[in-house]
Amino acid sequence: MILQHVPALNAKRIILASASPRRRELLGNIGLKFEVMVSTFEETLPKHRFSYGGEYALETARHKALDVAAMCAQPGPGEVGGAPPRAVDMIISADTVVEANGEILEKPDDAEHAFRMISSLSGKEHQVHTGVVLLLPGVADPATGSPPLIRTFVATTDVTFDSLPDEAIRAYIATGEPYGKAGSYGIQGAAGAFVVGLKGCYHTVMGFPLHRFTKEVAALIEEGLLKL
C-alpha cells in the first residue's frame, strides 16, 4: 500500500497518460497529485496478433506511456531563456478492453455499434481487462542497464450481465453513456443495473485497478527504484 507514501510521492512529478475522468478520479481518491498528458497514439494495434484481450490492452498502454515519455523528452518553451521543466519521475498509463467469446470490444463508433456490443453481452459472462504501465524515465532497467524502467501488469475481472431487452439497451444508449467506453458501457453509471455479479476488482472494470496499482508502486519504492 502507498497511502503512507502519498505526501512524498506528491513531491515527485507524476504524469497520467490518459484523458479518462475515471482514472483521474480513482488516483485523486488516494490523494495522489499528478499532471495529465494525453497520448496521441492511435489505438489500432492488430488484434489478431494477441493471445487474449489483456495482452492487447497492455501493449496499447505501453505505447501510450512511451508516446508521452517522448513528448516529455522534447525541449519545451521553458527551456528557452529560462530553467528547463522538472524531470518526470513516473508516467502512469492504462488501457481497458472488454472481451466476449474471444472478441475484443473497444469503444463504439455509433449507436448501432453500441447496440451490437451490449447485445452480445446480454445474459452472458465477459471479461474486462485493464493493462497498466508504470514508466520511470530516469531509472535504468536492471535487465538492460539503460532507462527507462517499465513495470507492467494486467488485471482481469469477470462480469455477468442479466438478459437485457432491446428496449433497455436502446434506453441506455440514449443516455450517451456508452460513448468513449470499452464494450459500450460504464459500470459506475446506469449500466450498473445490468450487472448480475462480478468476480475480481470493481475498479478494473471502471478502468483502473487501484489496489494492484498501489501494490506495484509500493514494490518500486521498496526496491529502491522509485526513490522518495
Side-chain angles (χ1 to χ4, degrees):
M1 302 296 292
I2 63 168
L3 293 184
Q4 69 273 30
H5 298 303
V6 166
L9 285 169
N10 286 343
K12 300 289 184 180
R13 189 180 180 200
I14 298 173
I15 293 177
L16 173 63
S18 173
S20 166
R22 273 87 50 196
R23 292 176 186 136
R24 293 200 300 269
E25 175 190 353
L26 289 171
L27 287 171
N29 283 347
I30 62 171
L32 193 66
K33 295 180 180 178
F34 52 89
E35 301 169 37
V36 173
M37 189 175 293
V38 181
S39 166
T40 59
F41 176 71
E42 294 287 340
E43 298 176 27
T44 55
L45 294 172
K47 296 180 178 64
H48 67 274
R49 294 184 182 175
F50 300 93
S51 60
Y52 81 114
E55 187 179 273
Y56 172 83
L58 185 58
E59 186 63 8
T60 299
R62 190 179 71 84
H63 278 282
K64 288 180 183 178
L66 290 170
D67 182 56
V68 168
M71 291 182 195
C72 294
Q74 295 296 319
E79 296 187 40
V80 180
R86 289 174 60 202
V88 175
D89 295 291
M90 180 167 63
I91 295 170
I92 304 165
S93 177
D95 187 67
T96 300
V97 299
V98 170
E99 185 170 17
N101 298 316
E103 181 181 2
I104 297 172
L105 307 179
E106 293 191 273
K107 301 166 187 174
D109 299 325
D110 51 36
E112 285 307 309
H113 190 199
F115 181 82
R116 292 195 300 274
M117 280 194 195
I118 298 174
S119 296
S120 73
L121 305 178
S122 175
K124 301 173 183 175
E125 182 182 82
H126 61 271
Q127 290 70 48
V128 180
H129 309 287
T130 296
V132 178
V133 171
L134 306 176
L135 186 150
L136 280 57
V139 178
D141 185 332
T144 65
S146 60
L149 174 70
I150 298 177
R151 284 285 174 88
T152 68
F153 67 89
V154 177
T156 298
T157 296
D158 297 325
V159 181
T160 302
F161 271 15
D162 199 353
S163 295
L164 307 174
D166 290 355
E167 294 82 1
I169 299 173
R170 296 286 186 197
Y172 177 61
I173 293 169
T175 68
E177 277 191 13
Y179 303 109
K181 296 180 176 66
S184 300
Y185 79 91
I187 195 170
Q188 71 279 2
F194 298 162
V195 178
V196 175
L198 56 82
K199 292 180 289 185
C201 173
Y202 176 86
H203 292 140
T204 294
V205 188
M206 279 186 69
F208 197 76
L210 189 62
H211 176 70
R212 178 69 185 275
F213 163 77
T214 63
K215 291 192 70 173
E216 295 292 337
V217 173
L220 289 171
I221 294 170
E222 290 166 7
E223 294 169 33
L225 297 170
L226 180 58
K227 298 186 184 299
L228 301 183

